[in-house]
Structures are given as structure tokens and as C-alpha cells.
Amino acid sequence: MMKKIIILGTSSSMPTKNRNHPGIFIKFNKKGILLDCGENIQRQLRIMKISPTKIDYILITHWHGDHVLGLPGIFQSLSSMNYNKKLNIIIPKENIENLKRIIEDFMIPINFDINIIEAREGLIVDEEDFQIYGIRTKHSITSYSYYIIEKNYIKLDKNLLNKYNIKDKELIKKLKEGKEIEIDGKKISYKDVGYIKKGIKITYITDTIFFDKLIDFAKG
Ligand SMILES: [Zn+2]
């Protein structure tokens, strides 16, 4: 389930006093996604009380400074924190070597797994509660835009749960998984106490001239 969308920066190539280089953090129940990583993004995260360790995915649109200058700082911090997860980085194929080089050149003692995923058109990532899609855009260098779509999920109504006297966490978990439960000899499904909530779609398109395919990509 998507919890929050936090705008960390909306500036263009030059940060201003009030606007940071680009960055958006999307918080899911279990995973966190960072869209672009301009200079100073780790401090913007701190200001919003988000630990960098909450990041599971970094989606890089293209290798211009305002979208990537924050990467070495994030890597450096994660290396000195208790980050015992896998950091997934989606990036255009052309820039994988650049990414490896900044880690080398800044001599960052990376002590966690980095999973580099080539950006491509269509489905890129299929997670438990969301998917990530990409589209090639039209900029002065290779660039991609992305959308993240939350999967539909079962939402339970607290009043209805009370009505049927369903308090047991295990039973609630089963209902959320779409399984039928039995209470006081009566069979109850999620349909009796809730409904299917449609997932939210977030499209992030930046640094491109307009072309028709973007309309379909952003639809919904
Ligand atoms: Zn650019």
C-alpha cells in the first residue's frame, strides 16, 4: 500500500534558495522509491525525517548532474549506516559505467548489495505491491521516464469488522489476503467487510520534449 509521496526537490539545473535539485520519495508499506537524486537529496530526506536506509529503489531518468549529483552522498551514508538490504538502481544502460566509476572515484567503501537494472520500455519491476514501468524520452542525452503503479488491494471497513466482531489479527490478515474466514459458525469473505481498492498510479516525466506516446504513458 502506498503511504506517502514526498517532494524533495523541484528545481531545474540550478538549485535555488527555496528549491532543491530534483528528487521525489515514494513510501510504500515495505519499500521506498527515490525518483532521481539531485545534489543534497540526502539532507532533504533528513529534513523530512526519512532515513536514507528507507530507500530500496533509485530510479535515474538520465545522467545530468541535477538528477544524479546526490548519488555519491547517499552511497557514502548508506555505507556507514546499518543498511543491510539490496539497493536497486534503475538507470539507462549507457550510464552504468558512470555509476560504477563514481563509486570507484569517490572511494566509497560500499558494504551492501547494489542491483543495477537497465532502464527499458515497458515493465521493469514487479514487486509485491507495485510495478515500475519505463518509457524512452527525448532529451539531449539518453533519458527515460517512469511510472509506478500500486497493485489493487483489499481494504477492510473498521465498522463492519466491529459489526461481525472480527478482532483477531490472524483473521484480519486472512481477509486481506482474500481468504474466507469463519466466525460464530458464519462464513465471511472480504466482500462482506470491505472492497477492492484500485491502486494509485504516479507518472514522473521530466526533461523531454513532448511526444504523443507520453499521453498514454501518463494516462490514469
Ligand atoms: Zn537533463
Side-chain angles (χ1 to χ4, degrees):
M1 195 199 305
M2 191 185 297
K3 295 279 199 188
K4 263 182 189 167
I5 303 167
I6 298 148
I7 311 294
L8 302 166
T10 58
S11 162
S12 186
S13 57
M14 291 266 199
T16 70
K17 187 179 158 204
N18 297 314
R19 292 172 68 196
N20 200 84
H21 267 172
I24 299 172
F25 185 72
I26 301 174
K27 187 175 184 289
F28 278 86
N29 250 359
K30 293 177 196 156
K31 305 258 157 133
I33 302 170
L34 180 63
L35 288 164
D36 274 337
C37 187
E39 185 181 338
N40 200 40
I41 283 299
Q42 60 166 330
R43 191 144 186 281
Q44 295 292 93
L45 285 167
R46 294 293 190 183
I47 290 167
M48 295 311 290
K49 298 191 165 56
I50 302 160
S51 165
T53 58
K54 298 289 175 206
I55 302 170
D56 296 277
Y57 283 91
I58 300 180
L59 278 51
I60 298 297
T61 56
H62 64 295
W63 201 262
H64 275 161
D66 47 333
H67 298 260
V68 295
L69 283 172
L71 285 173
I74 297 259
F75 296 156
Q76 178 85 43
S77 291
L78 289 180
S79 298
S80 39
M81 299 174 85
N82 228 350
Y83 185 77
N84 37 30
K85 314 194 257 192
K86 182 173 71 177
L87 181 64
N88 300 283
I89 303 175
I90 303 177
I91 183 168
K93 185 172 82 185
E94 289 81 349
N95 304 115
I96 292 174
E97 283 310 311
N98 301 108
L99 179 72
K100 288 180 178 166
R101 221 174 297 139
I102 59 166
I103 293 171
E104 261 178 50
D105 288 352
F106 282 93
M107 294 186 274
I108 304 167
I110 300 278
N111 56 5
F112 53 88
D113 290 336
I114 295 183
N115 177 32
I116 297 174
I117 303 167
E118 278 178 25
R120 60 173 170 269
E121 299 236 330
L123 179 68
I124 304 173
V125 165
D126 189 9
E127 275 277 357
E128 190 186 325
D129 46 1
F130 62 84
Q131 290 178 324
I132 300 172
Y133 287 78
I135 189 172
R136 180 93 184 246
T137 52
K138 297 180 179 179
H139 193 27
S140 54
I141 57 169
T142 304
S143 65
Y144 281 81
S145 281
Y146 303 102
Y147 75 73
I148 295 138
I149 187 157
E150 179 187 32
K151 291 184 180 173
N152 297 345
Y153 62 95
I154 292 171
K155 187 148 174 72
L156 303 177
D157 182 317
K158 269 185 190 161
N159 293 328
L160 289 171
L161 288 174
N162 282 339
K163 186 183 150 192
Y164 288 100
N165 199 26
I166 305 167
K167 290 188 178 111
D168 188 271
K169 276 187 186 158
E170 276 305 306
L171 292 181
I172 290 172
K173 195 174 156 225
K174 276 187 182 161
L175 285 169
K176 279 186 178 168
E177 287 166 358
K179 291 173 188 156
E180 226 177 36
I181 62 161
E182 204 173 302
I183 202 149
D184 303 329
K186 194 174 184 305
K187 282 195 171 130
I188 292 170
S189 87
Y190 75 87
K191 288 176 191 156
D192 300 308
V193 288
Y195 60 97
I196 292 185
K197 189 153 166 47
K198 198 176 178 314
I200 293 169
K201 176 180 171 184
I202 298 169
T203 309
Y204 176 58
I205 296 174
T206 186
D207 292 44
T208 178
I209 57 163
F210 175 78
F211 57 103
D212 284 340
K213 264 171 83 183
L214 292 176
I215 297 175
D216 271 340
F217 190 73
K219 204 171 243 168

